[in-house]
């Protein structure tokens, strides 16, 4: 079986992984309180043409300030109508955010496909590096400490 295809996206409005986790927790609580599906989601204009490959175990990799620092497994895709009447794609995510080995990434718009061989590995368990600045995380990953 082939490795799943992933998506990669800039995490706009969040400076670090903790910002994403906090924002998603607030949305989960809001959705739960209103009786809606509480799964985190990211709404985008484009629907992935390679949906089946992504749903075979793919993740959404998040880029913070030029570094891939986290991923979330993709649970599915749902159509979502925008307030403007345009059909969009809601990428449904697993609520668990998994930190990854920092990987530099140049800015881009929208989302992109990410081949499995190009995806950073998960950050190994060990000392909590969450409080370190992203640049330091990247430097530590480059020398093999993370």
């Amino acid at each position: 079986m082939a490795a799943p295809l992933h998506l990669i996206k800039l995490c706009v409005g969040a400076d670090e992984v903790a910002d994403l986790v906090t924002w998603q927790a607030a949305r989960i609580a809001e959705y739960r309180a209103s009786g809606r599906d509480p799964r985190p989601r990211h709404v985008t204009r484009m629907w992935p043409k390679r949906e089946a490959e992504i749903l075979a175990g793919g993740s959404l990799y998040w880029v913070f300030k030029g570094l891939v620092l986290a991923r979330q497994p993709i649970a599915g895709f749902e159509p979502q109508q925008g307030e403007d009447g345009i059909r969009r794609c809601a990428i449904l995510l697993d609520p668990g955010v998994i930190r990854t080995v920092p990987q530099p990434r140049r800015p881009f718009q929208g989302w992109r496909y990410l081949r499995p061989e190009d995806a950073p590995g998960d950050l190994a368990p060990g000392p909590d590096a969450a409080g370190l600045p992203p640049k330091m995380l990247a430097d530590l990953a480059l020398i093999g400490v993370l």
Side-chain angles (χ1 to χ4, degrees), residues 23-131:
W23 186 86
Q24 285 187 354
R27 298 295 80 69
I28 288 169
E30 175 186 316
Y31 293 159
R32 206 171 260 136
S34 67
R36 293 185 285 172
D37 179 353
R39 289 180 290 184
R41 65 196 61 230
H42 175 74
V43 179
T44 182
R45 287 185 318 177
M46 304 302 292
W47 196 286
K49 291 184 171 103
R50 299 173 70 183
E51 176 180 1
E53 293 172 80
I54 296 165
L55 292 177
S59 290
L60 177 60
Y61 282 77
W62 292 108
V63 180
F64 299 83
K65 291 188 169 184
L67 291 170
V68 179
L69 295 176
R71 70 178 180 89
Q72 285 182 273
I74 296 174
F77 298 97
E78 280 184 355
Q80 185 166 324
Q81 189 86 5
E83 291 181 14
D84 55 5
I86 295 174
R87 180 180 178 256
R88 292 186 166 74
C89 175
I91 304 169
L92 303 176
L93 302 166
D94 184 287
V97 177
I98 302 163
R99 293 178 186 274
T100 64
V101 173
Q103 182 186 76
R105 189 61 66 155
R106 290 181 180 212
F108 57 92
Q109 290 188 346
W111 55 261
R112 300 281 185 266
Y113 292 114
L114 180 64
R115 298 180 316 190
E117 61 270 22
D118 296 331
D122 292 348
L123 200 55
D128 186 12

